[in-house]
Protein backbone atom coordinates (compact mmCIF):
# COMPACT_ATOMS: atom_id res chain seq x y z
CA UNK A 1 0.00 0.00 0.00
CA UNK A 2 2.06 2.92 -1.26
CA UNK A 3 -0.45 5.77 -0.74
CA UNK A 4 -3.23 6.21 1.81
CA UNK A 5 -5.89 8.76 2.65
CA UNK A 6 -6.43 8.68 6.39
CA UNK A 7 -9.29 10.19 8.38
CA UNK A 8 -8.64 10.57 12.12
CA UNK A 9 -10.73 11.69 15.06
CA UNK A 10 -10.49 11.80 18.82
CA UNK A 11 -13.40 12.11 21.22
CA UNK A 12 -13.60 12.88 24.92
CA UNK A 13 -16.76 12.80 26.99
CA UNK A 14 -16.32 15.44 29.65
CA UNK A 15 -13.09 16.96 28.29
CA UNK A 16 -11.25 15.61 30.18
CA UNK A 17 -13.17 12.40 30.36
CA UNK A 18 -13.44 8.97 28.81
CA UNK A 19 -11.75 9.21 25.43
CA UNK A 20 -11.50 7.22 22.24
CA UNK A 21 -9.89 7.36 18.82
CA UNK A 22 -11.21 6.53 15.37
CA UNK A 23 -9.26 5.98 12.17
CA UNK A 24 -10.37 5.23 8.59
CA UNK A 25 -7.76 4.34 5.96
CA UNK A 26 -8.57 4.46 2.26
CA UNK A 27 -6.57 3.30 -0.75
CA UNK A 28 -6.05 5.40 -3.88
CA UNK A 29 -9.43 4.27 -5.23
CA UNK A 30 -11.31 5.34 -2.11
CA UNK A 31 -11.80 1.80 -0.80
CA UNK A 32 -11.64 1.32 2.96
CA UNK A 33 -8.60 -0.84 3.72
CA UNK A 34 -8.67 -0.51 7.51
CA UNK A 35 -10.77 0.95 10.30
CA UNK A 36 -9.56 1.31 13.88
CA UNK A 37 -11.37 2.17 17.09
CA UNK A 38 -9.90 2.24 20.58
CA UNK A 39 -10.47 3.50 24.11
CA UNK A 40 -7.52 5.54 25.39
CA UNK A 41 -8.60 6.26 28.98
CA UNK A 42 -9.33 9.58 30.64
CA UNK A 43 -7.95 12.55 28.72
CA UNK A 44 -8.81 15.72 26.83
CA UNK A 45 -10.22 15.99 23.35
CA UNK A 46 -7.01 17.55 22.00
CA UNK A 47 -4.86 14.74 23.34
CA UNK A 48 -7.32 12.22 21.85
CA UNK A 49 -7.00 13.95 18.46
CA UNK A 50 -3.19 13.74 18.56
CA UNK A 51 -3.31 10.13 19.79
CA UNK A 52 -5.52 9.20 16.84
CA UNK A 53 -3.07 10.81 14.44
CA UNK A 54 -0.01 9.13 15.99
CA UNK A 55 -1.75 5.74 15.96
CA UNK A 56 -2.75 6.21 12.31
CA UNK A 57 0.75 7.20 11.21
CA UNK A 58 2.31 4.23 12.99
CA UNK A 59 -0.21 1.90 11.37
CA UNK A 60 0.41 3.40 7.92
CA UNK A 61 4.14 2.80 8.34
CA UNK A 62 3.52 -0.80 9.42
CA UNK A 63 1.44 -1.26 6.26
CA UNK A 64 4.40 -0.07 4.18
CA UNK A 65 2.78 3.20 3.18
CA UNK A 66 5.12 5.82 1.73
CA UNK A 67 2.67 8.66 1.08
CA UNK A 68 -0.09 9.70 3.46
CA UNK A 69 -2.74 12.38 3.21
CA UNK A 70 -4.45 12.94 6.58
CA UNK A 71 -7.83 14.57 7.19
CA UNK A 72 -9.04 15.76 10.58
CA UNK A 73 -11.88 17.91 11.84
CA UNK A 74 -9.58 19.30 14.56
CA UNK A 75 -8.67 22.69 13.13
CA UNK A 76 -6.42 23.33 16.14
CA UNK A 77 -4.33 20.20 15.58
CA UNK A 78 -4.10 20.70 11.81
CA UNK A 79 -2.98 24.32 12.20
CA UNK A 80 -0.47 23.38 14.91
CA UNK A 81 1.06 20.66 12.73
CA UNK A 82 1.14 22.96 9.70
CA UNK A 83 2.94 25.62 11.77
CA UNK A 84 0.10 28.15 11.77
CA UNK A 85 -0.58 27.97 15.53
CA UNK A 86 1.85 27.81 18.44
CA UNK A 87 1.66 24.95 20.93
CA UNK A 88 1.63 26.04 24.55
CA UNK A 89 0.45 22.90 26.35
CA UNK A 90 3.36 20.67 27.45
CA UNK A 91 1.41 17.44 26.91
CA UNK A 92 0.54 18.48 23.36
CA UNK A 93 4.17 19.53 22.72
CA UNK A 94 5.31 15.95 23.46
CA UNK A 95 2.67 14.50 21.13
CA UNK A 96 3.53 17.05 18.44
CA UNK A 97 7.15 15.95 18.67
CA UNK A 98 6.10 12.34 18.06
CA UNK A 99 4.04 13.42 15.05
CA UNK A 100 6.94 15.36 13.51
CA UNK A 101 9.24 12.35 13.91
CA UNK A 102 6.68 10.06 12.26
CA UNK A 103 6.07 12.55 9.42
CA UNK A 104 9.75 12.24 8.43
CA UNK A 105 9.28 8.52 7.80
CA UNK A 106 7.02 9.20 4.80
CA UNK A 107 8.11 10.25 1.34
CA UNK A 108 5.06 12.53 1.28
CA UNK A 109 2.89 13.76 4.17
CA UNK A 110 0.07 16.28 4.35
CA UNK A 111 -2.63 17.05 6.88
CA UNK A 112 -5.82 18.91 6.03
CA UNK A 113 -8.75 20.26 7.99
CA UNK A 114 -12.20 18.99 6.98
CA UNK A 115 -15.59 19.90 8.36
CA UNK A 116 -17.05 17.45 10.85
CA UNK A 117 -19.59 16.05 8.40
CA UNK A 118 -16.74 14.86 6.16
CA UNK A 119 -15.14 13.01 9.06
CA UNK A 120 -18.26 11.21 10.25
CA UNK A 121 -17.01 7.61 10.15
CA UNK A 122 -13.82 8.39 12.11
CA UNK A 123 -16.01 10.20 14.67
CA UNK A 124 -18.31 7.17 14.94
CA UNK A 125 -15.30 4.91 15.49
CA UNK A 126 -13.87 7.19 18.20
CA UNK A 127 -17.19 7.07 20.04
CA UNK A 128 -17.43 3.29 19.55
CA UNK A 129 -14.05 3.01 21.31
CA UNK A 130 -15.49 4.82 24.31
CA UNK A 131 -18.73 2.81 24.20
CA UNK A 132 -16.88 -0.52 24.13
CA UNK A 133 -14.86 0.41 27.21
CA UNK A 134 -17.80 1.73 29.19
CA UNK A 135 -20.18 -1.10 28.38
CA UNK A 136 -23.68 -0.47 27.07
CA UNK A 137 -25.26 0.03 30.47
CA UNK A 138 -22.93 2.94 31.22
CA UNK A 139 -23.13 4.69 27.87
CA UNK A 140 -24.49 8.20 28.08
CA UNK A 141 -26.40 9.28 24.99
CA UNK A 142 -25.00 12.63 23.92
Amino acid sequence: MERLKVYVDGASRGNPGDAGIGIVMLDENGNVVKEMSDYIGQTTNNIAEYTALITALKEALEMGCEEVEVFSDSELMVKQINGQYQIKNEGIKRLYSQVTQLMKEFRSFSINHVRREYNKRADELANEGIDMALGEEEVIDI
Side-chain angles (χ1 to χ4, degrees):
M1 189 82 29
E2 186 174 314
R3 182 173 180 77
L4 288 172
K5 284 189 177 185
V6 180
Y7 290 80
V8 298
D9 199 21
S12 176
R13 295 187 188 154
N15 201 27
D18 290 300
I21 60 170
I23 300 163
V24 180
M25 299 180 148
L26 307 170
D27 66 14
E28 295 178 62
N29 299 316
N31 300 311
V32 175
V33 294
K34 187 161 197 158
E35 290 186 336
M36 299 172 71
S37 178
D38 199 9
Y39 176 74
I40 59 169
Q42 297 266 323
T43 194
T44 66
N45 188 63
N46 289 336
I47 289 177
E49 296 281 2
Y50 269 90
T51 302
L53 176 59
I54 290 165
T55 303
L57 294 178
K58 287 179 178 178
E59 185 64 27
L61 287 170
E62 285 182 25
M63 294 169 69
C65 179
E66 295 179 6
E67 299 177 20
V68 66
E69 187 176 11
V70 178
F71 299 90
S72 170
D73 60 27
S74 172
E75 185 175 7
L76 176 71
M77 180 179 73
V78 170
K79 287 192 173 190
Q80 286 174 333
I81 292 169
N82 285 330
Q84 296 167 284
Y85 286 174
Q86 289 184 339
I87 302 168
K88 297 176 184 172
N89 178 284
E90 289 304 317
I92 297 295
K93 283 182 181 179
R94 284 189 293 276
L95 296 172
Y96 172 82
S97 178
Q98 287 181 50
V99 170
T100 58
Q101 289 303 309
L102 289 165
M103 287 167 39
K104 294 174 187 176
E105 300 292 320
F106 295 96
R107 183 171 62 221
S108 171
F109 171 88
S110 67
I111 186 165
N112 307 282
H113 177 255
V114 292
R115 293 192 350 219
R116 199 165 273 167
E117 60 263 30
Y118 297 110
N119 205 28
K120 194 171 187 164
R121 182 61 184 147
D123 177 67
E124 289 170 353
L125 289 166
N127 280 289
E128 283 177 20
I130 299 169
D131 293 345
M132 286 185 294
L134 296 180
E136 291 184 4
E137 67 279 355
E138 295 179 58
V139 173
I140 299 168
D141 189 31
I142 296 176

Short mmCIF file of all heavy atoms in Angstrom, two decimals, residues 84-136:
data_model
loop_
_atom_site.label_atom_id
_atom_site.label_comp_id
_atom_site.label_asym_id
_atom_site.label_seq_id
_atom_site.Cartn_x
_atom_site.Cartn_y
_atom_site.Cartn_z
N GLN A 84 0.88 26.92 11.74
CA GLN A 84 0.10 28.15 11.77
C GLN A 84 -0.25 28.60 13.19
O GLN A 84 -0.51 29.78 13.41
CB GLN A 84 -1.19 27.96 10.96
CG GLN A 84 -0.91 27.71 9.48
CD GLN A 84 -2.15 27.22 8.77
OE1 GLN A 84 -2.54 26.07 8.90
NE2 GLN A 84 -2.78 28.12 8.03
N TYR A 85 -0.29 27.66 14.13
CA TYR A 85 -0.58 27.97 15.53
C TYR A 85 0.56 27.48 16.40
O TYR A 85 1.14 26.43 16.14
CB TYR A 85 -1.85 27.27 16.01
CG TYR A 85 -3.16 27.82 15.53
CD1 TYR A 85 -4.34 27.14 15.84
CD2 TYR A 85 -3.27 28.98 14.78
CE1 TYR A 85 -5.57 27.61 15.41
CE2 TYR A 85 -4.49 29.45 14.35
CZ TYR A 85 -5.64 28.77 14.67
OH TYR A 85 -6.86 29.24 14.25
N GLN A 86 0.87 28.24 17.46
CA GLN A 86 1.85 27.81 18.44
C GLN A 86 1.23 26.75 19.34
O GLN A 86 0.01 26.66 19.48
CB GLN A 86 2.29 28.98 19.31
CG GLN A 86 3.15 29.98 18.59
CD GLN A 86 3.61 31.07 19.55
OE1 GLN A 86 3.02 31.28 20.59
NE2 GLN A 86 4.69 31.73 19.19
N ILE A 87 2.11 25.95 19.96
CA ILE A 87 1.66 24.95 20.93
C ILE A 87 2.18 25.37 22.29
O ILE A 87 3.39 25.49 22.49
CB ILE A 87 2.20 23.55 20.56
CG1 ILE A 87 1.74 23.17 19.15
CG2 ILE A 87 1.74 22.52 21.59
CD1 ILE A 87 2.43 21.97 18.58
N LYS A 88 1.25 25.59 23.21
CA LYS A 88 1.63 26.04 24.55
C LYS A 88 1.55 24.93 25.59
O LYS A 88 2.30 24.92 26.54
CB LYS A 88 0.75 27.22 24.97
CG LYS A 88 0.94 28.43 24.06
CD LYS A 88 -0.01 29.55 24.39
CE LYS A 88 0.17 30.68 23.39
NZ LYS A 88 -0.82 31.71 23.53
N ASN A 89 0.65 23.98 25.40
CA ASN A 89 0.45 22.90 26.35
C ASN A 89 1.60 21.88 26.27
O ASN A 89 1.92 21.38 25.19
CB ASN A 89 -0.90 22.21 26.05
CG ASN A 89 -1.19 21.05 26.95
OD1 ASN A 89 -0.63 19.98 26.79
ND2 ASN A 89 -2.08 21.27 27.90
N GLU A 90 2.21 21.58 27.43
CA GLU A 90 3.36 20.67 27.45
C GLU A 90 3.01 19.26 26.97
O GLU A 90 3.80 18.61 26.29
CB GLU A 90 3.99 20.62 28.85
CG GLU A 90 4.73 21.89 29.22
CD GLU A 90 5.82 22.27 28.23
OE1 GLU A 90 6.58 21.39 27.77
OE2 GLU A 90 5.92 23.48 27.91
N GLY A 91 1.84 18.77 27.36
CA GLY A 91 1.41 17.44 26.91
C GLY A 91 1.26 17.38 25.40
O GLY A 91 1.67 16.40 24.76
N ILE A 92 0.70 18.41 24.81
CA ILE A 92 0.54 18.48 23.36
C ILE A 92 1.91 18.62 22.69
O ILE A 92 2.14 18.04 21.63
CB ILE A 92 -0.41 19.63 22.96
CG1 ILE A 92 -1.82 19.40 23.52
CG2 ILE A 92 -0.44 19.80 21.44
CD1 ILE A 92 -2.55 18.19 22.98
N LYS A 93 2.82 19.38 23.30
CA LYS A 93 4.17 19.53 22.72
C LYS A 93 4.85 18.17 22.55
O LYS A 93 5.50 17.91 21.55
CB LYS A 93 5.04 20.44 23.58
CG LYS A 93 4.74 21.90 23.42
CD LYS A 93 5.67 22.73 24.29
CE LYS A 93 5.37 24.21 24.15
NZ LYS A 93 6.23 25.04 25.00
N ARG A 94 4.69 17.29 23.55
CA ARG A 94 5.31 15.95 23.46
C ARG A 94 4.68 15.14 22.32
O ARG A 94 5.38 14.45 21.58
CB ARG A 94 5.17 15.22 24.79
CG ARG A 94 6.13 15.72 25.86
CD ARG A 94 6.14 14.84 27.10
NE ARG A 94 4.88 14.88 27.83
CZ ARG A 94 4.56 15.81 28.73
NH1 ARG A 94 5.42 16.78 28.99
NH2 ARG A 94 3.41 15.76 29.36
N LEU A 95 3.36 15.23 22.20
CA LEU A 95 2.67 14.50 21.13
C LEU A 95 3.04 15.08 19.76
O LEU A 95 3.25 14.34 18.80
CB LEU A 95 1.16 14.52 21.35
CG LEU A 95 0.68 13.80 22.61
CD1 LEU A 95 -0.79 14.06 22.84
CD2 LEU A 95 0.97 12.31 22.54
N TYR A 96 3.12 16.38 19.67
CA TYR A 96 3.53 17.05 18.44
C TYR A 96 4.91 16.57 18.01
O TYR A 96 5.15 16.32 16.82
CB TYR A 96 3.52 18.57 18.64
CG TYR A 96 4.10 19.34 17.49
CD1 TYR A 96 3.35 19.64 16.36
CD2 TYR A 96 5.43 19.77 17.53
CE1 TYR A 96 3.89 20.34 15.30
CE2 TYR A 96 5.99 20.48 16.48
CZ TYR A 96 5.22 20.76 15.37
OH TYR A 96 5.77 21.45 14.31
N SER A 97 5.81 16.44 18.97
CA SER A 97 7.15 15.95 18.67
C SER A 97 7.10 14.54 18.07
O SER A 97 7.83 14.24 17.11
CB SER A 97 7.99 15.96 19.94
OG SER A 97 9.28 15.46 19.69
N GLN A 98 6.26 13.69 18.62
CA GLN A 98 6.10 12.34 18.06
C GLN A 98 5.58 12.40 16.63
O GLN A 98 6.05 11.67 15.75
CB GLN A 98 5.13 11.51 18.91
CG GLN A 98 5.68 11.06 20.23
CD GLN A 98 4.66 10.24 20.98
OE1 GLN A 98 4.09 9.29 20.44
NE2 GLN A 98 4.41 10.58 22.24
N VAL A 99 4.60 13.28 16.40
CA VAL A 99 4.04 13.42 15.05
C VAL A 99 5.12 13.86 14.07
O VAL A 99 5.24 13.30 12.98
CB VAL A 99 2.85 14.42 15.04
CG1 VAL A 99 2.43 14.75 13.61
CG2 VAL A 99 1.67 13.85 15.82
N THR A 100 5.91 14.87 14.44
CA THR A 100 6.94 15.36 13.51
C THR A 100 7.98 14.29 13.20
O THR A 100 8.46 14.22 12.06
CB THR A 100 7.62 16.65 14.03
OG1 THR A 100 8.20 16.40 15.31
CG2 THR A 100 6.62 17.80 14.12
N GLN A 101 8.32 13.45 14.17
CA GLN A 101 9.24 12.35 13.91
C GLN A 101 8.63 11.34 12.95
O GLN A 101 9.31 10.87 12.03
CB GLN A 101 9.65 11.67 15.22
CG GLN A 101 10.56 12.50 16.10
CD GLN A 101 11.83 12.91 15.37
OE1 GLN A 101 12.53 12.10 14.78
NE2 GLN A 101 12.13 14.20 15.40
N LEU A 102 7.36 11.02 13.14
CA LEU A 102 6.68 10.06 12.26
C LEU A 102 6.52 10.63 10.85
O LEU A 102 6.67 9.90 9.86
CB LEU A 102 5.31 9.68 12.83
CG LEU A 102 5.35 8.79 14.07
CD1 LEU A 102 4.00 8.78 14.77
CD2 LEU A 102 5.79 7.38 13.70
N MET A 103 6.24 11.91 10.73
CA MET A 103 6.07 12.55 9.42
C MET A 103 7.31 12.34 8.55
O MET A 103 7.21 12.15 7.34
CB MET A 103 5.82 14.06 9.59
CG MET A 103 4.47 14.41 10.10
SD MET A 103 4.28 16.16 10.64
CE MET A 103 5.21 17.10 9.47
N LYS A 104 8.48 12.38 9.16
CA LYS A 104 9.75 12.24 8.43
C LYS A 104 9.93 10.86 7.81
O LYS A 104 10.75 10.69 6.90
CB LYS A 104 10.92 12.53 9.37
CG LYS A 104 10.98 13.96 9.85
CD LYS A 104 12.08 14.14 10.88
CE LYS A 104 12.04 15.53 11.50
NZ LYS A 104 13.03 15.69 12.57
N GLU A 105 9.17 9.89 8.30
CA GLU A 105 9.28 8.52 7.80
C GLU A 105 8.59 8.34 6.45
O GLU A 105 8.79 7.32 5.78
CB GLU A 105 8.69 7.53 8.81
CG GLU A 105 9.36 7.54 10.16
CD GLU A 105 10.78 7.01 10.11
OE1 GLU A 105 11.03 6.02 9.40
OE2 GLU A 105 11.64 7.62 10.78
N PHE A 106 7.77 9.30 6.05
CA PHE A 106 7.02 9.20 4.80
C PHE A 106 7.70 10.01 3.71
O PHE A 106 8.27 11.07 3.96
CB PHE A 106 5.58 9.72 4.99
CG PHE A 106 4.77 8.90 5.95
CD1 PHE A 106 4.65 9.26 7.28
CD2 PHE A 106 4.13 7.74 5.51
CE1 PHE A 106 3.91 8.50 8.17
CE2 PHE A 106 3.39 6.97 6.40
CZ PHE A 106 3.27 7.35 7.72
N ARG A 107 7.60 9.51 2.49
CA ARG A 107 8.11 10.25 1.34
C ARG A 107 7.27 11.53 1.15
O ARG A 107 7.78 12.58 0.79
CB ARG A 107 8.04 9.38 0.09
CG ARG A 107 8.62 10.03 -1.15
CD ARG A 107 8.74 9.09 -2.33
NE ARG A 107 7.41 8.61 -2.72
CZ ARG A 107 7.14 7.35 -3.08
NH1 ARG A 107 8.10 6.46 -3.10
NH2 ARG A 107 5.93 7.00 -3.42
N SER A 108 5.97 11.40 1.41
CA SER A 108 5.06 12.53 1.28
C SER A 108 4.05 12.49 2.43
O SER A 108 3.48 11.43 2.72
CB SER A 108 4.33 12.43 -0.07
OG SER A 108 3.30 13.38 -0.14
N PHE A 109 3.85 13.65 3.07
CA PHE A 109 2.89 13.76 4.17
C PHE A 109 2.15 15.09 4.05
O PHE A 109 2.76 16.12 3.80
CB PHE A 109 3.60 13.72 5.53
CG PHE A 109 2.69 14.06 6.68
CD1 PHE A 109 1.96 13.06 7.30
CD2 PHE A 109 2.55 15.37 7.12
CE1 PHE A 109 1.10 13.37 8.35
CE2 PHE A 109 1.70 15.68 8.17
CZ PHE A 109 0.97 14.68 8.79
N SER A 110 0.84 15.03 4.24
CA SER A 110 0.07 16.28 4.35
C SER A 110 -1.06 16.04 5.34
O SER A 110 -1.51 14.90 5.55
CB SER A 110 -0.49 16.71 2.99
OG SER A 110 -1.47 15.79 2.54
N ILE A 111 -1.49 17.12 5.98
CA ILE A 111 -2.63 17.05 6.88
C ILE A 111 -3.54 18.23 6.55
O ILE A 111 -3.07 19.35 6.34
CB ILE A 111 -2.22 17.03 8.36
CG1 ILE A 111 -3.44 16.81 9.26
CG2 ILE A 111 -1.43 18.27 8.73
CD1 ILE A 111 -3.11 16.42 10.68
N ASN A 112 -4.83 17.93 6.46
CA ASN A 112 -5.82 18.91 6.03
C ASN A 112 -7.00 18.93 6.98
O ASN A 112 -7.43 17.88 7.48
CB ASN A 112 -6.33 18.54 4.63
CG ASN A 112 -5.20 18.34 3.65
OD1 ASN A 112 -4.63 19.29 3.16
ND2 ASN A 112 -4.84 17.09 3.40
N HIS A 113 -7.55 20.12 7.17
CA HIS A 113 -8.75 20.26 7.99
C HIS A 113 -9.98 20.00 7.11
O HIS A 113 -10.04 20.46 5.97
CB HIS A 113 -8.84 21.66 8.59
CG HIS A 113 -10.08 21.88 9.37
ND1 HIS A 113 -11.13 22.63 8.89
CD2 HIS A 113 -10.46 21.41 10.59
CE1 HIS A 113 -12.09 22.62 9.80
NE2 HIS A 113 -11.71 21.88 10.82
N VAL A 114 -10.91 19.21 7.64
CA VAL A 114 -12.20 18.99 6.98
C VAL A 114 -13.31 19.28 7.98
O VAL A 114 -13.11 19.15 9.19
CB VAL A 114 -12.36 17.55 6.43
CG1 VAL A 114 -11.41 17.29 5.29
CG2 VAL A 114 -12.22 16.51 7.52
N ARG A 115 -14.45 19.69 7.47
CA ARG A 115 -15.59 19.90 8.36
C ARG A 115 -16.04 18.57 8.93
O ARG A 115 -15.83 17.51 8.33
CB ARG A 115 -16.72 20.60 7.60
CG ARG A 115 -16.30 22.01 7.23
CD ARG A 115 -17.39 22.92 6.73
NE ARG A 115 -18.65 22.33 6.44
CZ ARG A 115 -19.41 22.68 5.41
NH1 ARG A 115 -19.01 23.60 4.56
NH2 ARG A 115 -20.58 22.12 5.22
N ARG A 116 -16.65 18.64 10.09
CA ARG A 116 -17.05 17.45 10.85
C ARG A 116 -17.87 16.46 10.04
O ARG A 116 -17.69 15.25 10.14
CB ARG A 116 -17.82 17.90 12.09
CG ARG A 116 -17.88 16.86 13.17
CD ARG A 116 -18.31 17.47 14.47
NE ARG A 116 -17.11 17.98 15.14
CZ ARG A 116 -17.12 18.77 16.17
NH1 ARG A 116 -18.24 19.22 16.66
NH2 ARG A 116 -16.00 19.16 16.72
N GLU A 117 -18.74 16.96 9.18
CA GLU A 117 -19.59 16.05 8.40
C GLU A 117 -18.81 15.21 7.40
O GLU A 117 -19.28 14.18 6.96
CB GLU A 117 -20.74 16.81 7.71
CG GLU A 117 -20.30 17.88 6.75
CD GLU A 117 -20.30 19.27 7.36
OE1 GLU A 117 -20.10 19.44 8.58
OE2 GLU A 117 -20.50 20.22 6.58
N TYR A 118 -17.59 15.64 7.07
CA TYR A 118 -16.74 14.86 6.16
C TYR A 118 -15.83 13.90 6.92
O TYR A 118 -15.04 13.19 6.30
CB TYR A 118 -15.91 15.78 5.27
CG TYR A 118 -16.77 16.63 4.37
CD1 TYR A 118 -16.88 18.00 4.57
CD2 TYR A 118 -17.51 16.06 3.34
CE1 TYR A 118 -17.69 18.79 3.76
CE2 TYR A 118 -18.33 16.83 2.53
CZ TYR A 118 -18.41 18.19 2.74
OH TYR A 118 -19.21 18.96 1.94
N ASN A 119 -15.96 13.88 8.22
CA ASN A 119 -15.14 13.01 9.06
C ASN A 119 -16.04 12.11 9.93
O ASN A 119 -15.64 11.65 10.98
CB ASN A 119 -14.21 13.85 9.94
CG ASN A 119 -12.97 13.10 10.35
OD1 ASN A 119 -12.50 12.22 9.65
ND2 ASN A 119 -12.45 13.43 11.51
N LYS A 120 -17.24 11.87 9.45
CA LYS A 120 -18.26 11.21 10.25
C LYS A 120 -17.88 9.80 10.68
O LYS A 120 -18.09 9.42 11.83
CB LYS A 120 -19.58 11.19 9.46
CG LYS A 120 -20.77 10.84 10.28
CD LYS A 120 -22.05 11.06 9.50
CE LYS A 120 -23.22 10.87 10.44
NZ LYS A 120 -24.44 11.41 9.90
N ARG A 121 -17.33 9.00 9.80
CA ARG A 121 -17.01 7.61 10.15
C ARG A 121 -15.91 7.55 11.21
O ARG A 121 -16.00 6.76 12.15
CB ARG A 121 -16.61 6.80 8.91
CG ARG A 121 -16.32 5.35 9.21
CD ARG A 121 -17.53 4.63 9.79
NE ARG A 121 -17.19 3.25 10.15
CZ ARG A 121 -17.71 2.59 11.17
NH1 ARG A 121 -18.65 3.14 11.92
NH2 ARG A 121 -17.34 1.36 11.43
N ALA A 122 -14.88 8.38 11.09
CA ALA A 122 -13.82 8.39 12.11
C ALA A 122 -14.41 8.81 13.45
O ALA A 122 -14.05 8.25 14.50
CB ALA A 122 -12.69 9.31 11.69
N ASP A 123 -15.34 9.76 13.45
CA ASP A 123 -16.01 10.20 14.67
C ASP A 123 -16.81 9.05 15.28
O ASP A 123 -16.75 8.82 16.50
CB ASP A 123 -16.92 11.39 14.37
CG ASP A 123 -17.70 11.83 15.59
OD1 ASP A 123 -17.07 12.33 16.55
OD2 ASP A 123 -18.93 11.67 15.61
N GLU A 124 -17.54 8.33 14.45
CA GLU A 124 -18.31 7.17 14.94
C GLU A 124 -17.38 6.14 15.59
O GLU A 124 -17.69 5.60 16.65
CB GLU A 124 -19.07 6.50 13.79
CG GLU A 124 -20.23 7.31 13.26
CD GLU A 124 -20.81 6.74 11.98
OE1 GLU A 124 -20.24 5.76 11.41
OE2 GLU A 124 -21.83 7.26 11.52
N LEU A 125 -16.24 5.88 14.96
CA LEU A 125 -15.30 4.91 15.49
C LEU A 125 -14.70 5.37 16.82
O LEU A 125 -14.52 4.56 17.73
CB LEU A 125 -14.19 4.63 14.47
CG LEU A 125 -14.62 3.84 13.24
CD1 LEU A 125 -13.56 3.93 12.15
CD2 LEU A 125 -14.94 2.40 13.58
N ALA A 126 -14.40 6.67 16.94
CA ALA A 126 -13.87 7.19 18.20
C ALA A 126 -14.88 6.99 19.32
O ALA A 126 -14.53 6.57 20.43
CB ALA A 126 -13.52 8.67 18.05
N ASN A 127 -16.14 7.25 19.03
CA ASN A 127 -17.19 7.07 20.04
C ASN A 127 -17.45 5.60 20.33
O ASN A 127 -17.75 5.24 21.46
CB ASN A 127 -18.46 7.81 19.62
CG ASN A 127 -18.36 9.29 19.93
OD1 ASN A 127 -18.39 9.68 21.08
ND2 ASN A 127 -18.19 10.09 18.90
N GLU A 128 -17.30 4.74 19.32
CA GLU A 128 -17.43 3.29 19.55
C GLU A 128 -16.34 2.81 20.50
O GLU A 128 -16.57 1.93 21.34
CB GLU A 128 -17.34 2.52 18.23
CG GLU A 128 -18.60 2.58 17.40
CD GLU A 128 -18.46 1.87 16.06
OE1 GLU A 128 -17.56 1.01 15.90
OE2 GLU A 128 -19.26 2.18 15.16
N GLY A 129 -15.14 3.37 20.39
CA GLY A 129 -14.05 3.01 21.31
C GLY A 129 -14.43 3.31 22.74
O GLY A 129 -14.18 2.50 23.65
N ILE A 130 -15.04 4.46 22.97
CA ILE A 130 -15.49 4.82 24.31
C ILE A 130 -16.61 3.89 24.76
O ILE A 130 -16.59 3.36 25.88
CB ILE A 130 -15.96 6.29 24.37
CG1 ILE A 130 -14.82 7.23 24.00
CG2 ILE A 130 -16.52 6.62 25.76
CD1 ILE A 130 -15.26 8.67 23.77
N ASP A 131 -17.58 3.67 23.87
CA ASP A 131 -18.73 2.81 24.20
C ASP A 131 -18.30 1.40 24.58
O ASP A 131 -18.83 0.83 25.53
CB ASP A 131 -19.71 2.74 23.01
CG ASP A 131 -20.40 4.06 22.73
OD1 ASP A 131 -20.36 4.96 23.59
OD2 ASP A 131 -20.97 4.19 21.63
N MET A 132 -17.34 0.84 23.85
CA MET A 132 -16.88 -0.52 24.13
C MET A 132 -16.27 -0.61 25.53
O MET A 132 -16.47 -1.57 26.25
CB MET A 132 -15.85 -0.98 23.09
CG MET A 132 -16.45 -1.31 21.75
SD MET A 132 -15.26 -1.99 20.58
CE MET A 132 -14.15 -0.61 20.31
N ALA A 133 -15.52 0.42 25.91
CA ALA A 133 -14.86 0.41 27.21
C ALA A 133 -15.85 0.60 28.36
O ALA A 133 -15.69 0.01 29.42
CB ALA A 133 -13.80 1.49 27.27
N LEU A 134 -16.85 1.42 28.13
CA LEU A 134 -17.80 1.73 29.19
C LEU A 134 -18.86 0.64 29.37
O LEU A 134 -19.44 0.53 30.43
CB LEU A 134 -18.50 3.07 28.92
CG LEU A 134 -17.61 4.30 28.91
CD1 LEU A 134 -18.44 5.54 28.62
CD2 LEU A 134 -16.88 4.45 30.23
N GLY A 135 -19.11 -0.12 28.33
CA GLY A 135 -20.18 -1.10 28.38
C GLY A 135 -21.51 -0.41 28.11
O GLY A 135 -21.71 0.75 28.46
N GLU A 136 -22.41 -1.11 27.50
CA GLU A 136 -23.68 -0.47 27.07
C GLU A 136 -24.48 0.13 28.21
O GLU A 136 -25.12 1.16 28.05
CB GLU A 136 -24.53 -1.48 26.29
CG GLU A 136 -23.96 -1.83 24.97
CD GLU A 136 -24.83 -2.74 24.16
OE1 GLU A 136 -25.95 -3.06 24.60
OE2 GLU A 136 -24.39 -3.15 23.09
#
